Structures are given as structure tokens and as C-alpha cells.
């Protein structure tokens, strides 16, 4: 097991290095000059003052150095936990800007991923052995899983927000309120959170339900299920074994789909103007904020890699065949 997780850590380390390098490159190949944008916002007309400001900001952000030196400086600052200063919200550090947006994104992603996986697997397992439920879950599941996240988000905002007026369609909380720990503010947060969460939950739910339904049918038609049935084993016991075997590919699928779910959450945040990392990325692109874009992408990459590593550990724990294979390899 030590060798297995050692290989996994090496793979994740290489993936992190490549992802962070690409993350550093992308903003620098974007069109536009971030320093010119900062100077333009200052409304300075004197040519000498403009040139002095350009030189000052270029030196401050290290953009007057060769690209290779910027790359080396980037890794050095990253090792110190320094993500730089935001160009858009100058002189606020990037870490402070991201810290304010991260709770909103986590509050969307974690419940939607876990609840859609659990509920989808349960619905798929029930649908596999109930014809009436199967005839409804399967078509609805296909429709949901084929929907783009942002399209469903627009439909929910239009239907429940604009037409019915049940939920707000923008923001993380009411503009008339200030963040505090009162129940009034918490309920207002949940009111704004409901539609973004529902859009992520429903799309993911359809995919998990279809996957589990197909896997349960495959397991119930396998040789061991037929053998247990011939021995007179109760149907409940056979279904229990089938579910335990069918859920293993779903755990693997969770690791594979995690990046897609995170990307969907970021797009959904933009649709609802939800103050998470998705809205932050949009603002960073609009303002050509290299450092904020790097810091946001870095947090997302690190979060996805850590979550995948946790799923790898869970898979080893729940699948005895994996542990048996490790023991056999060591023997």
C-alpha cells in the first residue's frame, strides 16, 4: 500500500507541476496589457506621468523582467505562499480576494456533488428493479444529464426567479444586508444559494442515476447473482451484493467527473452572479488580472487533485480486491 500511494503521490505531483505551469502561461498569452488597463483607470493625461506609472507598476508586478525570470519568481513566491497582488483590486493581495470567494464556491460544490452522487445512486438502484420507476427515471435522467449547466441555470432563474418570484436570481445575499452571524442573514444566504445548488444537483443527479441503473442490471445478470439465486439466497442479499459491486465504478466515475462538476459550478456562478470563484475568474479576465487568475486557477487545480486523491484512498478502503491485489504484489 505504501508503494501504491507513493506512485499516486508522484503522479499527482507531476500533474500539479504541469497544471501550475500551464496556469502561469495562460494569462500571459491573453491579448491586452494589464498595466495599460491600470493606468487607464487612473485617468492620467500627462504623458510623463503615464510613463512613470507604467514603469512603476511593471516593476512592482515583475512584468518588466524576461519570461523565464517571471516563471522562476512565480515558483519562488508560490513556495512562500505569496500569490501576488491583484491588479483589478490593487493593492489587495490575491490571497485575501480568493479567501472571500472560496466559501461560496465550496458551499455549492460539496453539497451538490455528494448529494447528487448519493441520491442518484439510490434512485438508479431502485429503478433497476421497478419497471414503473425505470420508465420514468431513465428518460428524465437522460434529459437532465444532457443539459448544459448554464442552460438549466438560466431556466431555473427565469422560471423560479423571474416568473414566480420565489427566489432571487443574482448575488450571494441581499444587497440591503451586511454579512453577520444572525439567523436572518443565514436564511437569506440559503435563499440565494437554492437555485445555483439546484442547477448543479439536477444535472449531476441524472448521470449518476443512469449509471447506477445500468450497473445494477449488469450485476443482477452476472454469474454470481445467478449462482446465489440457484442456491436459494434471498433476493435482498443478492441485491445487496449487486449494489456493493455496482457502486465501485461510480466511485471511479466521481473522480473522473469531479473536474466537470467544478467547471459547471464556475459557469453556474457566473449565470447567477454568485460571489464565488467563477465570478472572480470572469472579473479577472475582464480586467486582465494575471495574478488573480493564476491564484484562482491554482486553488481549483489543488482542490481537484486533493479530492481525487481522497477518492483514491476511499476506493482502496471500500474495494477489498484492490487490497488483495496489493498484498499479492508484495508477496
Amino acid at each position: 500500500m505504501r508503494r501504491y500511494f507513493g506512485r499516486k503521490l508522484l503522479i499527482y505531483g507531476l500533474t500539479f507541476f504541469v497544471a501550475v505551469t500551464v496556469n502561469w502561461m495562460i494569462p500571459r498569452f491573453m491579448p491586452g496589457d494589464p498595466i495599460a488597463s491600470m493606468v487607464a483607470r487612473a485617468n492620467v493625461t500627462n504623458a510623463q506621468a503615464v510613463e512613470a506609472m507604467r514603469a512603476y507598476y511593471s516593476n512592482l508586478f515583475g512584468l518588466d523582467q524576461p519570461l523565464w525570470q517571471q516563471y522562476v519568481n512565480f515558483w519562488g513566491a508560490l513556495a512562500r505562499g505569496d500569490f501576488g497582488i491583484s491588479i483589478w483590486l490593487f493593492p489587495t493581495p490575491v490571497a485575501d480576494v480568493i479567501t472571500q470567494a472560496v466559501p461560496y464556491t465550496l458551499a455549492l460544490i460539496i453539497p451538490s456533488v455528494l448529494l447528487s452522487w448519493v441520491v442518484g445512486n439510490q434512485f438508479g438502484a431502485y429503478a433497476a428493479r421497478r419497471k414503473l420507476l425505470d420508465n420514468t427515471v431513465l428518460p428524465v435522467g437522460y434529459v437532465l444529464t444532457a443539459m448544459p449547466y448554464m442552460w438549466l441555470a438560466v431556466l431555473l432563474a427565469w422560471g423560479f426567479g423571474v416568473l414566480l418570484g420565489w427566489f432571487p436570481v443574482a448575488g450571494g445575499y441581499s444587497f440591503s444586508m451586511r454579512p453577520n452571524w444572525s439567523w436572518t442573514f443565514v436564511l437569506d444566504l440559503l435563499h440565494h444559494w437554492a437555485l445555483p445548488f439546484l442547477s448543479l444537483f439536477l444535472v449531476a443527479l441524472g448521470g449518476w442515476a443512469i449509471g447506477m441503473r445500468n450497473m445494477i442490471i449488469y450485476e443482477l445478470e452476472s454469474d454470481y447473482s445467478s449462482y446465489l439465486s440457484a442456491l436459494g439466497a434471498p433476493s435482498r442479499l443478492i441485491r445487496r451484493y449487486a449494489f456493493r459491486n455496482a457502486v465501485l465504478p461510480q466511485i471511479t466515475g466521481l473522480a473522473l467527473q469531479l473536474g466537470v462538476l467544478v467547471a459547471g459550478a464556475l459557469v453556474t456562478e457566473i449565470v447567477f452572479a454568485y460571489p464565488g470563484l467563477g465570478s472572480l475568474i470572469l472579473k479577472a479576465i475582464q480586467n486582465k488580472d494575471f495574478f488573480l487568475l493564476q491564484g484562482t486557477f491554482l486553488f481549483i487545480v489543488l482542490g481537484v487533485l486533493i479530492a481525487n486523491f481522497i477518492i483514491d484512498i476511499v476506493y482502496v478502503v471500500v474495494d477489498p480486491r484492490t487490497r488483495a491485489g496489493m498484498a499479492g504484489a508484495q508477496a
Side-chain angles (χ1 to χ4, degrees):
M1 190 173 293
R2 188 182 298 112
R3 188 185 310 167
Y4 171 80
F5 285 116
R7 289 198 304 266
K8 286 290 183 180
L9 286 174
L10 178 61
I11 293 172
Y12 282 121
L14 292 175
T15 304
F16 176 76
F17 174 79
V18 173
V20 171
T21 300
V22 174
N23 173 30
W24 175 86
M25 293 172 59
I26 288 176
R28 284 160 177 78
F29 286 99
M30 290 172 54
D33 184 358
I35 302 301
S37 300
M38 290 189 67
V39 175
R41 289 198 298 269
N43 293 323
V44 178
T45 57
N46 184 281
Q48 292 183 347
V50 168
E51 190 60 33
M53 290 179 64
R54 287 182 60 88
Y56 171 77
Y57 285 128
S58 296
N59 178 264
L60 178 65
F61 293 110
L63 299 178
D64 57 344
Q65 300 178 356
L67 281 178
W68 68 268
Q69 187 64 51
Q70 294 183 38
Y71 181 70
V72 172
N73 294 342
F74 167 73
W75 278 106
L78 189 61
R80 299 191 302 270
D82 180 12
F83 298 103
I85 299 173
S86 172
I87 295 176
W88 167 47
L89 297 173
F90 183 85
T92 307
V94 168
D96 293 347
V97 180
I98 294 177
T99 302
Q100 296 176 6
V102 163
Y104 292 97
T105 297
L106 293 181
L108 275 183
I109 292 178
I110 294 177
S112 60
V113 168
L114 295 180
L115 288 177
S116 65
W117 190 84
V118 173
V119 176
N121 285 331
Q122 292 296 332
F123 264 102
Y126 288 135
R129 60 179 185 268
R130 287 176 173 82
K131 187 174 182 180
L132 179 61
L133 190 59
D134 188 26
N135 291 335
T136 56
V137 169
L138 192 61
V140 172
Y142 279 124
V143 171
L144 289 176
T145 194
M147 284 186 179
Y149 288 97
M150 60 180 178
W151 188 68
L152 181 59
V154 170
L155 287 182
L156 292 175
W158 175 72
F160 292 99
V162 177
L163 289 183
L164 298 176
W166 292 351
F167 296 96
V169 296
Y173 51 87
S174 298
F175 297 112
S176 60
M177 300 188 68
R178 291 182 177 273
N180 57 76
W181 292 108
S182 66
W183 282 110
T184 303
F185 180 72
V186 171
L187 291 176
D188 189 68
L189 280 176
L190 293 175
H191 199 209
H192 286 75
W193 168 86
L195 286 185
F197 162 78
L198 195 60
S199 64
L200 295 174
F201 173 78
L202 289 176
V203 174
L205 176 69
W208 297 129
I210 292 172
M212 177 54 76
R213 178 256 182 195
N214 295 336
M215 289 304 303
I216 286 289
I217 292 176
Y218 173 80
E219 293 294 335
L220 291 176
E221 294 177 353
S222 62
D223 292 339
Y224 76 88
S225 296
S226 301
Y227 181 70
L228 287 174
S229 180
L231 291 177
S235 299
R236 181 179 298 179
L237 178 63
I238 298 175
R239 290 197 300 267
R240 187 185 305 168
Y241 278 115
F243 182 83
R244 290 178 61 183
N245 289 328
V247 80
L248 296 177
Q250 294 291 85
I251 296 176
T252 305
L254 179 60
L256 295 175
Q257 290 294 319
L258 195 57
V260 178
L261 295 172
V262 171
L266 300 180
V267 174
T268 301
E269 288 179 358
I270 294 174
V271 172
F272 288 100
Y274 200 71
L277 294 179
S279 299
L280 211 58
I281 290 174
L282 179 62
K283 292 293 185 182
I285 293 174
Q286 291 173 340
N287 293 275
K288 303 178 182 62
D289 193 337
F290 287 2
F291 303 99
L292 182 57
L293 202 58
Q294 287 175 183
T296 308
F297 283 155
L298 178 64
F299 182 86
I300 294 171
V301 167
L302 192 59
V304 171
L305 290 177
I306 292 175
N308 273 270
F309 185 69
I310 293 174
I311 293 173
D312 281 337
I313 296 175
V314 171
Y315 195 87
V316 172
V317 173
V318 301
D319 189 359
R321 294 172 298 183
T322 306
R323 297 194 298 273
M326 293 177 185
Q330 292 175 356

